[in-house]
Amino acid sequence: MNTTHQAPTEPVLAMDDIQGIAVPGFLKPSQTLLGLRLPMEHDQLLKAKRFLGELAAEVSSARQTLEDRRAYRRNRQEQNTRHLQHQGDVMMAIGFSAHGLSLLAPGGVDLASPAFQQNMAARSALLGDPADPSNEGHSSNWVIGGPGNEPDMLLVLAGDGREALDQKAAELMDRLYSAHILVIYQENGDVRTDSWDQRDMRGHEHFGFDDGISQPGIRGRASEAKDDFITERHIAPAATPDAWLYGLPGQDLLWPGEFVLGYPASSPDPLIPGPVKRSQPDWSVNGSFLVFRRLRQDVSLFWGTMHSQASALATKPGFGGMSDEMLASMIVGRWMSGAPVNRAPSADNPQLGKDKWANNNFRYGSDTPSVPILGHDDTYPKAKADPVGLICPWAAHIRKVNVRDAGSDMGGNDATYTRRLLRVGVPFGKPLPTRETGARQDPEQGNRGLLFLSIQASLEDQFEFLQARWMNDAVRPKMPGGHDVLIGQNPTAEGNRVRSCVLFGQQLQTETISIAAQWVIPTGGGYFFLPSIPALREVIGGC
């Protein structure tokens, strides 16, 4: 740990050059995704390049996105509501596949990422996706991104209201058509606004769990001003080193090189920046990699499985009273409200779940200490050390993807900093009217799920590592564990996709649950590069 006893100096980011979806990230309630294909005929391709150069002026920058977010926060504080209806501008981002870059930009093939150059469909087996071509999740059956329907570009529109977003999408598609750019995929995603069982589901994913709570913070400043931080700081400055380590309590502050090329990434000491990796080609500086993964969620299957598994567990010593919701919370690591099981071991606490100053403030390897928060108090019971997963199982989803202060197969707790993602996606499809297992009236015919989007500097070391090495592996990041049965895969050579995890009972009894049900199915996706706005204008759009 840093021994200089002073706050680290954080770099000023090129806020006018970086796409806003990468820094600070689009967190809008509505999105429209457009998968685009470039023309192959030379004259038409030149026209498409010119159009993309002009479009650069409409791509939302990091500065514009941060200003919009700050305006939202100011209005929310004034109106004292968590779910303020904020009418900001429609935001735009655009990413390019390796094939798309090869047509548009010199040196696109020099981006040092095998995953990007091969694209997601070619690496789906590594991700654990089904190998059987008859399986819905096999890449040959994908809605978008499979063989023959891989887009050259992914355009993301994000806004506060569906009407304005639809108008922008319609206007943009007319211009794309005129530029000989073909729209081969279009899908809308919207944050939930409904209720389930008299519970507010705003901000929850389709299984019913509040989402997006444990986002990392991005170190860096938006200007030369000393305290103009991209990620707000909420811990009292005197509380060192916590005030230097976290934005909100429990929100790790990560060096910007974990998300954007050309900046220092993490080092073994979170307060000391690591070296800046040279980015090739030169115009890739201030760019990021975007993962898109279309995940269909079978909500009835999930809750039906939770019901049957919980009923069986309830008959076992030490597991009396097990309910479907309690089991699901152990698998996720949080209750449906977002309250972490480490701070609410026996029952959900909705007030804790919606308290952003407390719902992410917990550790696994040690007791969680009190920390002074600016203008707020955290009065909920503190989380106790849980190194072996007695309370939050090692296989719980949130523990699989973020080991926090606990060690892992990669070493000490600092290993987690280089594996984090910035998630910027939204659900798609209308919610199932009720999660009761007997409900079979479904106007969407099961077509709902998550338009997963994530920002990272390395596809291999971040997204693919988390999916293939930790989520899909029964013994990593640490035992006793099992698979991430919520969203992980089990790609065995024998075709057995059963996922298992270890749970502890009330008197330290252990039971292993094994689940064959596939309630999260990959149905599309791709890897894309988000160039800087100048690179989009001058390199990709230059003729």
Side-chain angles (χ1 to χ4, degrees), residues 260-274:
V260 186
L261 303 183
Y263 293 90
S266 300
S267 75
D269 187 331
L271 296 177
I272 298 177

Side-chain angles (χ1 to χ4, degrees), residues 216-230:
I218 302 173
R219 284 196 187 278
R221 293 174 291 151
S223 71
E224 293 291 345
K226 179 181 178 182
D227 296 328
D228 190 13
F229 296 119
I230 293 167

Side-chain angles (χ1 to χ4, degrees), residues 499-513:
R499 294 143 13 252
S500 301
C501 70
V502 177
L503 305 176
F504 284 93
Q506 295 149 5
Q507 285 80 44
L508 304 187
Q509 302 94 332
T510 60
E511 290 288 340
T512 299
I513 62 171

Side-chain angles (χ1 to χ4, degrees), residues 72-89:
Y72 167 79
R73 287 171 177 162
R74 286 194 300 269
N75 292 342
R76 184 180 62 185
Q77 290 172 354
E78 292 171 2
Q79 298 189 26
N80 193 30
T81 177
R82 183 186 178 201
H83 299 287
L84 173 74
Q85 292 298 311
H86 169 70
Q87 295 301 319
D89 294 333

